[in-house]
């Protein structure tokens, strides 16, 4: 049961610091100033650059643990939401320029419905940025995820976008940090709304 699993706050990083830094730099390079951003499956940290609080118009979040969301000082606003019970995002159509999901798509039991919802809340030309590593809570990830390698994970996420519909051809990137004790791979799938 997701509610009991996420009932206790987990104030930990789910990826190593090198992967966090790589993801933060990706966001800095690719998210335009004054964007309205939605972080789905959010927690106590969204991994955005520190300046985003001042340089973005809005940063909203949905997540399962109210304590974690309240601790996330990058969010302008948040809503508790278990997307595995109800995948509908609690926002109006065309509300956001960017939707992010950090190392959590593997926990969604209806990822296609969630990506359809992301499409609905995006403005035309808006983007979904899914980041993914190979670390997870094995008891929470969907079963086939555990049997796949990194490339297969990316192909699966790409297929989610394909079946959700309404997205241009996706781009995938390996942004894994190199050297310096980096251990976790970090991948991005970036999808733009048609």
């Amino acid at each position: 049961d997701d509610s009991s699993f996420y009932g206790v706050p987990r104030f930990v990083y789910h990826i190593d610091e090198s992967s966090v830094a790589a993801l933060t730099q990706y966001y800095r390079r690719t998210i335009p100033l004054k964007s309205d951003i939605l972080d789905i499956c959010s927690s106590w940290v969204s991994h955005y650059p520190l300046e985003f609080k001042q340089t973005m118009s809005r940063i909203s979040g949905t997540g399962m643990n109210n304590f974690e969301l309240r601790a996330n000082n990058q969010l302008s606003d948040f809503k508790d939401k278990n997307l595995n019970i109800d995948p509908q995002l609690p926002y109006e159509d065309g509300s956001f320029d960017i939707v992010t999901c950090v190392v959590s798509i593997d926990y969604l039991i209806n990822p296609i419905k969630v990506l359809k919802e992301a499409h609905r809340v995006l403005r035309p030309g808006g983007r979904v940025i899914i980041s993914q590593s190979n670390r997870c809570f094995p008891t929470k990830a969907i079963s086939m995820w555990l049997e796949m390698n990194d490339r297969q994970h990316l192909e699966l996420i790409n297929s989610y976008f394909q079946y959700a519909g309404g997205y241009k051809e996706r781009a995938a990137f390996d942004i894994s940090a190199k050297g310096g004790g980096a251990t976790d791979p970090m991948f991005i799938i970036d999808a733009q709304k048609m």
Side-chain angles (χ1 to χ4, degrees), residues 29-139:
R29 286 191 316 272
T30 65
I31 297 178
L33 295 175
K34 302 294 181 191
S35 292
D36 291 315
I37 303 171
L38 172 60
D39 188 26
I40 62 172
C41 305
S42 191
S43 67
W44 70 281
V45 63
S46 295
H47 306 303
Y48 301 126
L50 292 176
E51 70 270 14
F52 271 27
K53 184 89 172 163
Q54 289 75 40
T55 60
M56 298 299 154
S57 294
R58 172 185 179 193
I59 302 176
S60 300
T62 62
M64 294 202 35
N65 188 288
N66 185 274
F67 293 107
E68 290 183 16
L69 293 169
R70 281 191 279 153
N72 187 334
N73 63 8
Q74 295 183 303
L75 300 178
S76 311
D77 60 89
F78 65 85
K79 297 187 180 178
D80 297 13
K81 183 75 177 179
N82 183 339
L83 296 174
N84 282 336
I85 292 175
D86 177 12
Q88 183 173 6
L89 295 171
Y91 301 98
E92 299 293 321
D93 295 0
S95 298
F96 297 98
D97 303 299
I98 302 286
V99 174
T100 60
C101 181
V102 178
V103 296
S104 294
I105 195 139
D106 49 324
Y107 303 138
L108 295 175
I109 59 174
N110 292 303
I112 295 168
K113 290 180 181 177
V114 172
L115 290 176
K116 285 180 179 184
E117 277 294 294
H119 184 274
R120 180 186 64 76
V121 302
L122 279 172
R123 296 180 179 116
R127 294 168 36 229
V128 176
I129 302 171
I130 303 287
S131 58
Q132 196 56 54
S133 187
N134 61 9
R135 285 179 52 182
C136 67
F137 294 115
T139 59

